[in-house]
Amino acid sequence: MVKQYYREKKEDFLLSTYFSFRFTAFTTLPLATGLMVVAPTFIPLFLGEAFTASVLNLQILAPSLFFSGLSGILGIQILVTLGKNRAYSLSILAAALFSLMANVMLMFTYGSIGTSFAYLLFTILACLFQAFFARRFFSPKKAFYQIVPYVIASALACAGEIIISTIFLGKNPFLIILLEVIVGATAYFSYLFLVKDVMLFKGFSLIQKVLKVGN
């Protein structure tokens, strides 16, 4: 991306940037929503009942996967690539200060829940500050539209997973997690297939190439 930008290939630079938004949303949003739904079954099963209290921590922290990914695009791929190191540092520092204040206010009352919320706040604010500093180098509106299909697909997958967890409440936890994964993945990829999502069909093409090489 550095080479694209400084060799005046701005169109290629923007294409790479928007592809990164799509890829980040494609990979992190279903994982984040899935973790939020699966956590109440997953944590007691694999870590033991003693860790049940950390279910809410994981549910609060899960969206930070997505926002950390966005921060990597806005901060590293755009600001640092373009030499805007001061803007990048300021965005991280400002987000960290707000997170620290939230930590101080919440930690003593809510313990680890407050700390989890403060970290989520840090990732969100870092994205917002970096988007503000980087707004002249990409279209926030166009970036938003790259993400929308995966928000809808993840919401559908999340709804399916919640229905499964409700129907099979109290049943075998392995069965519940397996069904949640199957239903969530089916809903997610089915929606993307119906809207002919670019990332999904790129994945199909890549799998076909790998299979041809294997043969």
Side-chain angles (χ1 to χ4, degrees):
M1 291 182 72
V2 171
K3 184 170 68 175
Q4 288 172 349
Y5 188 82
Y6 287 103
R7 289 189 178 179
E8 300 300 322
K9 295 182 178 180
K10 303 294 174 62
E11 188 62 32
D12 290 342
F13 173 82
L14 288 173
L15 286 174
S16 297
T17 299
Y18 296 131
F19 174 82
S20 295
F21 279 109
R22 294 186 78 92
F23 182 80
T24 297
F26 177 73
T27 53
T28 61
L29 279 174
L31 182 59
T33 54
L35 279 174
M36 292 172 72
V37 178
V38 172
T41 307
F42 179 86
I43 287 181
L45 177 63
F46 288 96
L47 300 180
E49 293 294 335
F51 286 86
T52 301
S54 64
V55 167
L56 185 56
N57 294 81
L58 180 58
Q59 291 174 323
I60 294 172
L61 289 171
S64 65
L65 290 170
F66 171 63
F67 291 110
S68 295
L70 290 186
S71 180
I73 300 168
L74 297 165
I76 304 299
Q77 290 187 220
I78 298 179
L79 292 177
V80 173
T81 292
L82 304 184
K84 307 298 179 182
N85 296 313
R86 183 181 179 188
Y88 174 71
S89 299
L90 284 173
S91 66
I92 296 296
L93 179 60
L97 288 174
F98 278 104
S99 177
L100 177 62
M101 288 188 289
N103 236 320
V104 171
M105 290 187 290
L106 299 173
M107 181 174 60
F108 296 105
T109 303
Y110 300 102
S112 63
I113 300 299
T115 301
S116 298
F117 178 79
Y119 179 76
L120 176 61
L121 179 66
F122 165 76
T123 59
I124 294 172
L125 289 177
C127 284
L128 293 175
F129 290 138
Q130 287 166 0
F132 174 78
F133 287 121
R135 68 191 185 283
R136 292 187 295 110
F137 307 106
F138 78 110
S139 168
K141 184 178 180 180
K142 190 170 182 178
F144 174 76
Y145 284 123
Q146 309 302 309
I147 295 170
V148 167
Y150 311 107
V151 173
I152 297 172
S154 296
L156 292 173
C158 186
E161 291 159 358
I162 290 173
I163 290 171
I164 290 297
S165 63
T166 303
I167 293 174
F168 291 92
L169 183 66
K171 304 294 183 183
N172 187 306
F174 279 109
L175 176 63
I176 295 173
I177 292 174
L178 179 62
L179 290 174
E180 285 175 338
V181 171
I182 292 172
V183 170
T186 301
Y188 185 74
F189 290 114
S190 295
Y191 175 80
L192 295 182
F193 183 79
L194 288 174
V195 298
K196 296 180 173 59
D197 179 67
V198 174
M199 291 299 302
L200 184 65
F201 284 94
K202 277 182 180 291
F204 287 153
S205 299
L206 182 61
I207 291 170
Q208 288 176 343
K209 289 179 181 177
V210 170
L211 292 175
K212 284 181 181 178
V213 172
N215 293 330

